[in-house]
Amino acid sequence: MAKFPATKENNLIIRLFRKEENTLYEENSILEYPSSIPPSKLTNFKGFVFIEVDRRYTIPFDEAISKKDTVALKKAWEWPLEEFEFVYGLSKTDPHGKYTLGIVPWASMNLGASAVERFYELLGIEGDGSAERKRMMKGFRYIVQDEPSGAIGGVKFPEGMGWMWKKGLVVEIGLDSRSGGLWQLEEAVKAIQEVVKGSEHVGGVGAFVVSHFTYSCTHDNNNMAASL
């Protein structure tokens, strides 16, 4: 599970595997990414978009969402909110923060439009002095992966997707069709069709990304992690 290092140093660190003996076990700072690009291709490098790393969260009560209970919502979504603030802060304070071109945080699209709107508000995207934060916001991602069948096919999930899409944001759904089942892809496609139905002439909308599809047979949920 994603977590910040105790020091919270101003380096973006991604830890792919918990087990030290794994060949992919390593930590990387922002500078290491452009330094790994061949010099012949470095002239085309502009930067990267940070995509959320599946930080832990809890599901707030419906009443907290409907009544805009900021204290309860911040507690439930503390770590995803902290992740956004950490990366946004790096883009402004780190010597190499200029390479951070955008952020795609997690969002509670499984809880419907109201929950997504509350999370969006807590990110401080709207209002005076928030233009730069809004510019950095490129979209949201939600990983279905190991959730039960029907997780996408209800009313709330497409509703949450639609709220983001109409805001002009990218809506990314992470799937695991191999382990979770083909139903994930089928429900994702159906949900997207439902969102865009009757909106052929609506302008300023976002885009949909269906990612992962399947993990390889070497995927191990107990070993994989991402850290900041």
Side-chain angles (χ1 to χ4, degrees):
M1 185 58 63
K3 61 181 180 180
F4 291 99
T7 58
K8 288 193 178 180
E9 296 174 330
N10 283 337
N11 279 322
L12 180 62
I13 300 173
I14 304 297
R15 178 170 294 163
L16 294 174
F17 284 79
R18 284 199 184 101
K19 291 187 176 181
E20 294 186 18
E21 63 270 21
N22 195 293
T23 55
L24 295 180
Y25 181 91
E26 62 181 356
E27 295 181 346
N28 299 294
S29 65
I30 291 178
L31 186 59
E32 287 181 83
Y33 292 100
S35 67
S36 66
I37 299 173
S40 60
K41 297 183 178 181
L42 194 57
T43 54
N44 297 322
F45 175 74
K46 304 299 182 183
F48 62 87
V49 174
F50 176 87
I51 300 176
E52 62 91 23
V53 295
D54 196 18
R55 301 202 77 201
R56 185 180 300 170
Y57 62 90
T58 58
I59 298 177
F61 291 111
D62 291 342
E63 186 178 17
I65 296 172
S66 62
K67 293 187 176 181
K68 297 186 178 182
D69 186 339
T70 302
V71 174
L73 295 177
K74 282 186 175 180
K75 183 176 181 180
W77 300 330
E78 176 184 2
W79 290 343
L81 289 169
E82 188 180 45
E83 176 184 74
F84 179 87
E85 292 300 327
F86 179 72
V87 178
Y88 180 75
L90 285 182
S91 72
K92 301 302 171 191
T93 62
D94 190 271
H96 309 290
K98 64 181 181 180
Y99 293 123
T100 309
L101 303 181
I103 306 173
V104 178
W106 167 92
S108 52
M109 66 178 81
N110 61 317
L111 300 180
S114 294
V116 172
E117 185 175 7
R118 302 291 176 268
F119 186 78
Y120 185 85
E121 291 169 350
L122 291 176
L123 292 175
I125 304 299
E126 303 287 0
D128 296 337
S130 61
E132 185 61 19
R133 296 172 75 89
K134 191 171 186 177
R135 185 189 68 80
M136 290 290 289
M137 170 66 70
K138 303 303 180 184
F140 290 102
R141 179 169 80 157
Y142 186 89
I143 300 178
V144 178
Q145 195 168 313
D146 55 359
E147 296 200 10
S149 177
I152 311 174
V155 174
K156 289 188 175 182
F157 205 103
E159 183 184 87
M161 291 169 56
W163 189 93
M164 301 176 196
W165 182 68
K166 290 174 183 177
K167 274 280 188 181
L169 298 167
V170 173
V171 182
E172 181 177 350
I173 309 171
L175 309 179
D176 183 1
S177 298
R178 184 188 68 84
S179 299
L182 191 59
W183 67 266
Q184 294 187 6
L185 177 59
E186 293 171 343
E187 287 191 11
V189 171
K190 186 176 180 180
I192 292 171
Q193 291 174 334
E194 182 178 333
V195 170
V196 303
K197 184 171 58 178
S199 302
E200 291 81 0
H201 304 294
V202 176
V205 295
F208 295 97
V209 174
V210 179
S211 62
H212 291 50
F213 286 106
T214 177
Y215 287 103
S216 68
C217 59
T218 59
H219 173 65
D220 183 345
N221 284 329
N222 293 322
N223 292 339
M224 286 199 70
S227 300
L228 285 178

